[in-house]
Amino acid sequence: MLADMFATVIGLWRMQRIRFFDIAKGIAILAVILGHCAIEANLCIPHRAAQIAISFCFSFHMPLFFILAGYFMHPERAFRWAKESRQLLCTYAVTTLCVLVGVTCMATLHHESRALALQTWGMTALYGNGDVSNLTLWPVGFRIGAIWFLLAMFWARLLLHIFAKLPHTVFWVAACFVFGYISSRYVCLPWSVQSGMCAVAFLYLGYLAKKYDVLGRVKRIPYIWVAALLIWIIDVVSFGGMSMAMNDYGSHPVLAVVGSMAGTLCVIGISQLLDHMFLGGGGLSKLGQASLAILCVHLVEDDVLPWQMYLGFLRAAFPHMPLVLLSFIVRLPIDLVGAALLYRVPVINEWFYPQLVKQRQLRRSKAMSQACVPCGE
């Protein structure tokens, strides 16, 4: 009987792991890397290809991660401080530690002051700002970059758990978004608090999408896909900027928010199609499951390595190839190899790969069930 119960638990866990959501996250993490490659390439040599890549990637990638996180949230339950801290705050701390080690090594190689590098980047890591701002409470020389997402996700999840227990949850979510958006025009608070205040709206959208079976409704009314695609195309073509890290939704903020929702829906639809294909779906699914590790490794190489200098070398070596593509081809393998190595590090790997925790718990349950089964059965 215990063995049957265990098999049932395994089956339920596998059913809950919907592969096309992992595929969508795989597409999004590739968009994160491509978008950063495009920014660097455009700074080096402005090019239409880089600008198109920026418009496409930033129109959906971070909103998608928050919306999908909200889809699987249960904000009516108690906030799990230990789990959220390990997966978000501890991963932030480990990643920033790697950045500090990396910039110290680079300062040594370039015969620069290690103390100054540690001081400047240490203050940057402490402030946790997604981008450089002149509105910080005290001077911060650099931006920590992509892992603002981890801090913002922590605050957003905490806030949604609080708001879900209050009457008129939608009012509190909307008020939180407005306050975070407006206040960031006057001051940039540390630890990406304001980014989390705005991100709570995207988490709530994902939660509502699950609650009201939006994907099921869209499946029954396929014209919604067409409408979403048109909105997304309009958003990309008329892209006026969007940076959730700084609560900057560009010159068309309403279109940016609606377009990001439409883009997320389209990427999920594309992921459902890829889920039925032999090629592509499996690889993207693995990328999606490793997206947290890939993001953190990407942040380290993005902060530590002097990409503007390297891009100059790449441009000279391959003058007829788009620089954004060259950068992506070089940087993606670095991120994938780093994430694969991180998978092998005991204890810490469970912070970056949450699915390992579930696998360990299932192995423990299986061992206990086998130990409890009488020898005669």
Side-chain angles (χ1 to χ4, degrees), residues 19 105 187 195 241 248 308 311 341 370:
R19 197 175 77 146
C105 293
V187 63
S195 299
D248 181 5
Q308 285 295 302
L311 290 178
L341 292 175
Q370 291 176 342

Side-chain angles (χ1 to χ4, degrees), residues 71-91:
Y71 191 90
F72 292 101
M73 275 189 68
H74 297 280
E76 69 281 356
R77 300 176 184 174
F79 186 71
R80 294 180 290 182
W81 289 92
K83 177 180 179 296
E84 302 293 352
S85 297
R86 282 195 304 271
Q87 190 173 336
L88 298 171
L89 301 185
C90 290
T91 51

Side-chain angles (χ1 to χ4, degrees), residues 111-344:
H111 305 290
E112 298 172 351
S113 171
R114 291 189 294 268
L116 180 61
L118 276 173
Q119 179 184 357
T120 306
W121 279 99
M123 186 62 67
T124 299
L126 179 63
Y127 208 89
N129 210 24
D131 206 347
V132 177
S133 172
N134 58 0
L135 300 176
T136 52
L137 297 179
W138 58 82
V140 180
F142 300 112
R143 89 285 185 274
I144 196 58
I147 54 172
W148 67 268
F149 168 81
L150 302 176
L151 298 176
M153 180 67 82
F154 179 84
W155 296 119
R157 293 176 75 95
L158 176 60
L159 287 168
L160 187 54
H161 273 83
I162 294 172
F163 296 154
K165 296 173 177 62
L166 298 175
H168 312 296
T169 299
V170 65
F171 167 79
W172 293 106
V173 169
C176 186
F177 180 94
V178 170
F179 183 82
Y181 179 78
I182 294 177
S183 64
S184 60
R185 316 266 86 63
Y186 302 97
V187 63
C188 180
L189 297 176
W191 312 312
S192 294
V193 173
Q194 291 151 303
S195 299
M197 295 177 72
C198 287
V200 71
F202 292 93
L203 280 182
Y204 190 56
L205 285 172
Y207 169 73
L208 293 178
K210 174 68 174 295
K211 182 177 179 179
Y212 294 105
D213 189 26
V214 169
L215 291 181
R217 293 172 184 268
V218 172
K219 188 175 181 180
R220 293 190 294 271
I221 310 174
Y223 295 109
I224 296 178
W225 295 113
V226 178
L229 180 60
L230 289 175
I231 294 171
W232 190 23
I233 291 173
I234 293 171
D235 181 32
V236 173
V237 171
S238 59
F239 187 72
M242 181 173 181
S243 171
M244 288 189 68
M246 303 304 292
N247 288 341
D248 181 5
Y249 292 86
S251 55
H252 311 290
V254 175
L255 178 60
V257 172
V258 175
S260 68
M261 294 162 55
T264 296
L265 184 60
C266 289
V267 171
I268 291 174
I270 293 168
S271 302
Q272 289 176 325
L273 293 176
L274 291 173
D275 193 20
H276 299 291
M277 295 181 181
F278 179 74
L279 297 175
L284 287 170
S285 174
K286 292 184 183 301
L287 288 180
Q289 294 180 45
S291 57
L292 177 57
I294 294 171
L295 176 72
C296 293
V297 173
H298 170 66
L299 180 279
V300 174
E301 53 93 350
D302 190 50
D303 282 352
V304 171
L305 298 179
W307 283 110
Q308 285 295 302
M309 181 178 69
Y310 296 160
L311 290 178
F313 297 148
L314 289 173
R315 180 65 177 175
F318 304 94
H320 303 295
M321 198 169 180
L323 192 57
V324 60
L325 181 59
L326 281 172
S327 179
F328 184 73
I329 291 173
V330 170
R331 297 178 72 172
L332 180 60
I334 296 174
D335 300 334
L336 297 183
V337 169
L341 292 175
L342 193 56
Y343 186 87
R344 303 294 179 183

